[in-house]
Amino acid sequence: MSVVHPSGETNARLRSGEGIPADNAFSGTDLRQLDEAVRDARLASTAAAATLLAPVEAGGEATALTERNCLFDHCGVLLFPRTVGAGLRYLERRGLAPLPTVPSTVVRRRLGERYGLDPADCEVHITRLRMNLPDGRRHAAVEVFLFPRDSPGFDRRIAESEAAHGFEQHTAFVVGRPGEPLLAGLVSAWRTEAGLLWEGGGHNPHEGGPDGSTVMYFVREHGRPARRRRFELHCPGDLGDFMDRIPQETEAVRRAYAEWRLAGLEIPA
């Protein structure tokens, strides 16, 4: 249910949450992160795709391939509502028009690995928020991972750690025609020219039509600081065979995340 008002001022207040009772659906920290993701998506929608990768070599292959083949799709954020239903109702009251949720596979697994949990206890759901963007699109430009506080795997320390470090925040591009030669070129160029490490990914059969969709994640390597530290390539279909052939960069990825922890708050004991 979207909320439509004739007043642009009223719409702005809705988007910012002013006057909308939170009903304990989200913490204040979650609401601040939500507002930041909405603002970031609006700004990213009018930016040249390659500028979102900055710093990156000007005129290089990464810039050319990204500009020709990648379209900004969304900004991602992980939030911890009281329940999934309470979180969705709050988003509806904000006028953010959340799409029906689908189960997460990749983030559920990542949380399990990060905090030593059984992924089955990480009840993570994905919704997208439909927005009127400055570039004229009506598009689901914010991806929200909902890990409800009534989930068996929830722990306050997880929410505090994720808020401090933003491990699941990312900027995503959609690749409309993801042939293997193109993807191989993108992965190589992003690695060498933008300092992005291959972080892995996965296939989600619940998103993207009958064949599902594949997400590929990249994290900025240690020593190449930038505002945007994680990126996603979102592709239709199951590209598991291609991903299996990409060399793992496990140790470099581990160092990158260790640096995130050092730069942010210490994880609560």
Side-chain angles (χ1 to χ4, degrees):
M1 177 182 69
S2 60
V3 180
V4 179
H5 289 266
S7 164
E9 182 181 352
T10 301
N11 277 330
R13 287 201 303 268
L14 281 171
R15 287 193 298 270
S16 69
E18 183 181 337
I20 306 298
D23 296 336
N24 199 33
F26 290 105
S27 69
T29 298
D30 273 357
L31 295 179
R32 287 190 292 274
Q33 292 195 95
L34 173 63
D35 287 345
E36 182 178 337
V38 169
R39 287 193 300 269
D40 203 19
R42 293 179 62 80
L43 292 171
S45 72
T46 57
T51 65
L52 300 175
L53 289 176
V56 64
E57 291 183 15
E61 192 72 3
T63 296
L65 288 174
T66 303
E67 291 290 352
R68 285 200 304 264
N69 300 284
C70 300
L71 177 67
F72 167 73
D73 189 60
H74 66 263
C75 292
V77 64
L78 172 63
L79 303 177
F80 299 88
R82 175 167 50 83
T83 66
V84 171
L88 292 173
R89 288 191 293 273
Y90 175 80
L91 294 171
E92 288 173 352
R93 292 197 300 273
R94 283 277 298 265
L96 292 171
L99 294 175
T101 62
V102 297
S104 163
T105 54
V106 176
V107 171
R108 181 189 298 249
R109 184 186 71 233
R110 283 167 52 84
L111 286 167
E113 292 171 351
R114 190 175 302 134
Y115 299 105
L117 302 172
D118 183 343
D121 290 336
C122 300
E123 184 190 337
V124 181
H125 304 260
I126 306 169
T127 187
R128 294 281 198 96
L129 308 182
R130 290 171 291 188
M131 300 166 53
N132 290 316
L133 297 176
D135 67 0
R137 284 188 290 167
R138 171 72 168 169
H139 180 63
V142 174
E143 180 179 55
V144 182
F145 302 107
L146 298 170
F147 187 177
R149 300 196 296 269
D150 65 346
S151 172
F154 174 78
D155 186 289
R156 173 186 55 81
R157 292 171 295 181
I158 296 175
E160 291 173 351
S161 171
E162 293 296 318
H165 304 104
F167 292 126
E168 297 305 326
Q169 294 175 8
H170 62 269
T171 300
F173 300 99
V174 64
V175 183
R177 299 177 180 274
E180 290 196 8
L182 167 61
L183 291 175
L186 272 169
V187 171
S188 176
W190 280 17
R191 176 66 184 91
T192 58
E193 298 176 14
L196 298 180
L197 303 169
W198 166 249
E199 193 182 355
H203 174 247
N204 190 337
H206 308 291
E207 277 196 308
D211 296 324
S213 62
T214 296
V215 292
M216 305 179 194
Y217 286 112
F218 303 80
V219 62
R220 190 83 63 177
E221 67 181 345
H222 174 54
R224 298 279 290 267
R227 177 176 175 271
R228 298 179 188 272
R229 302 187 295 182
R230 288 188 72 237
F231 294 88
E232 174 191 309
L233 288 178
H234 192 96
C235 308
D238 185 351
L239 298 169
D241 289 342
F242 168 77
M243 291 193 297
D244 289 343
R245 294 196 296 274
I246 301 177
Q248 296 296 311
E249 298 180 284
T250 305
E251 184 58 27
V253 169
R254 187 197 66 77
R255 287 197 304 270
Y257 277 111
E259 181 65 20
W260 285 32
R261 286 186 165 95
L262 291 174
L265 300 175
E266 292 296 324
I267 296 177

